[in-house]
Amino acid sequence: GAGVSQSPSNKVTEKGKDVELRCDPISGHTALYWYRQSLGQGLEFLIYFQGNSAPDKSGLPSDRFSAERTGGSVSTLTIQRTQQEDSAVYLCASSLGLAGGDEQFFGPGTRLTVL
Amino acid sequence: GQNIDQPTEMTATEGAIVQINCTYQTSGFNGLFWYQQHAGEAPTFLSYNVLDGLEEKGRFSSFLSRSKGYSYLLLKELQMKDSASYLCAVSPGTYKYIFGTGTRLKVLA
């Protein structure tokens, strides 16, 4: 079956513009995560969705970042008024939403470059 | 605070054994994961430990000591394709994950 897909794979934008990143999780996965990975760094948690519960937004770095998940499937991460420090690879992962041992399946990521 | 420590970089020879250590301090513990990430690619799941002891899966094994806040990933019979970053991740609670910065492993011929 299809894995997690993300689009676009690369995005170059100018400082101050808004960008929207898309994630299509594996069908049947109830949990969806967004992470940010800067060059040579680990994964920084951004936001998490589980079923119909309110999302855990505790990792969002500022109010310029928002995300939604429509119909419990596709998710979009929106960054408003982009800044150069937003440049990173944005990874989406989905999982079955198990309480323990919940393996995450990652998408290929979107490489965002803010000029 | 919550913290995960791993060595930044390791080098080993093809056919050898390498051990990648991970120490953690978190507010809770719901399991520890190891992921492999090749350059420019997404992380892929390697192992999960929630109880103390060794979990073996082919050439890869992962060990956990909860009392010491310590884990290691053991790679045997190293192959060139094992050159990658290895990420240690701790779940401090249900649906929460903290990732370390990763250990970049170089396998030399």
Side-chain angles (χ1 to χ4, degrees), chain B:
Chain B
Q2 318 226 67
N3 193 51
I4 298 180
D5 285 314
Q6 309 177 229
T8 303
E9 197 168 293
M10 299 182 71
T11 303
T13 306
E14 194 175 16
I17 299 174
V18 70
Q19 178 175 312
I20 302 174
N21 296 325
C22 171
T23 58
Y24 64 90
Q25 287 180 309
T26 56
S27 56
F29 185 79
N30 195 39
L32 185 144
F33 297 77
W34 284 95
Y35 284 83
Q36 180 190 59
Q37 186 177 26
H38 284 100
E41 297 182 12
T44 55
F45 172 82
L46 286 178
S47 68
Y48 168 71
N49 294 70
V50 67
L51 299 177
D52 290 352
L54 190 69
E55 294 280 342
E56 297 187 77
K57 194 185 290 187
R59 293 190 298 114
F60 293 10
S61 303
S62 57
F63 171 83
L64 174 69
S65 169
R66 288 171 298 172
S67 63
K68 291 185 169 67
Y70 168 69
S71 171
Y72 67 72
L73 180 69
L74 193 71
L75 290 76
K76 302 176 188 175
E77 301 168 16
L78 279 174
Q79 302 175 10
M80 299 298 289
K81 67 179 182 180
D82 298 329
S83 292
S85 287
Y86 291 85
L87 307 177
C88 174
V90 173
S91 176
T94 306
Y95 310 132
K96 294 190 183 297
Y97 299 89
I98 302 169
F99 281 79
T101 54
T103 298
R104 191 164 55 249
L105 174 66
K106 294 182 185 177
V107 179
L108 305 176

Side-chain angles (χ1 to χ4, degrees), chain A residues 6 25 46 59 64 79 114:
Chain A
Q6 293 186 243
L46 297 177
R64 296 186 296 104
I79 309 173
V114 182

Side-chain angles (χ1 to χ4, degrees), chain A residues 10-70:
Chain A
N10 277 285
K11 177 70 177 179
V12 180
T13 190
E14 293 179 347
K15 178 182 171 182
K17 302 279 190 184
D18 297 352
V19 295
E20 196 170 274
L21 313 179
R22 176 187 170 106
C23 172
D24 279 271
I26 292 173
S27 178
H29 280 190
T30 61
L32 187 148
Y33 301 79
W34 283 98
Y35 295 92
R36 178 168 71 176
Q37 188 173 34
S38 302
L39 190 63
Q41 299 298 309
L43 273 65
E44 175 189 3
F45 166 76
L46 297 177
I47 188 168
Y48 153 77
F49 297 88
Q50 165 60 12
N52 296 320
S53 303
D56 178 351
K57 304 179 181 180
S58 59
L60 294 178
S62 78
D63 59 8
R64 296 186 296 104
F65 288 72
S66 63
E68 63 178 24
R69 188 179 185 191
T70 53

